[in-house]
Amino acid sequence: QVQLVESGGGLVQAGGSLRLSCSASGTIFSINAMAWYRQAPGKQRELVARATSSGSTNYADSVKGRFTISRDNAKNTVYLQMTSLKDEDTAVYYCYADLQPGRWVFSKTYWGQGTQVTVSS
């Protein structure tokens, strides 16, 4: 059983910073990619940033230059460093992983429970 556990959300003033963490635990053979999505009230869930096992990253245009995604492959952990936060960054942030839970098992996708980030002006 694979679990993704997020931490680091909270309330921050506009212009401030937060760092989110997400650790994958359980039976994991390999992780192809990990990512952060977010969903604001009344809006669809959207990709914020994604990092593959080869080290490539991509970001939503709205967060480029402000957010940085990084991975610690040894710890099966992904981080999202968020700086210069804006009101519109307020959302529930979800961790996502595309991973292979066993050597002879197809890759599957997993989601964390979500962590609230609230930016106040």
Side-chain angles (χ1 to χ4, degrees), residues 12-25:
V12 63
Q13 286 190 330
S17 300
L18 277 178
R19 189 175 86 149
L20 305 182
S21 301
C22 170
S23 294
S25 62

Side-chain angles (χ1 to χ4, degrees), residues 6-78:
E6 302 125 333
S7 62
L11 175 64
V12 63
Q13 286 190 330
S17 300
L18 277 178
R19 189 175 86 149
L20 305 182
S21 301
C22 170
S23 294
S25 62
T27 303
I28 299 170
F29 177 72
S30 67
I31 298 179
N32 303 315
M34 298 188 80
W36 290 96
Y37 284 75
R38 67 186 181 187
Q39 187 167 20
K43 294 188 177 181
Q44 289 189 332
R45 191 173 296 190
E46 62 174 359
L47 175 67
V48 176
R50 180 174 182 268
T52 69
S53 57
S54 63
S56 66
T57 58
N58 60 284
Y59 297 89
D61 288 343
S62 60
V63 307
K64 282 180 181 176
R66 299 188 298 121
F67 291 10
T68 302
I69 189 170
S70 60
R71 286 177 59 176
D72 184 335
N73 292 329
K75 296 182 179 179
N76 290 336
T77 297
V78 64

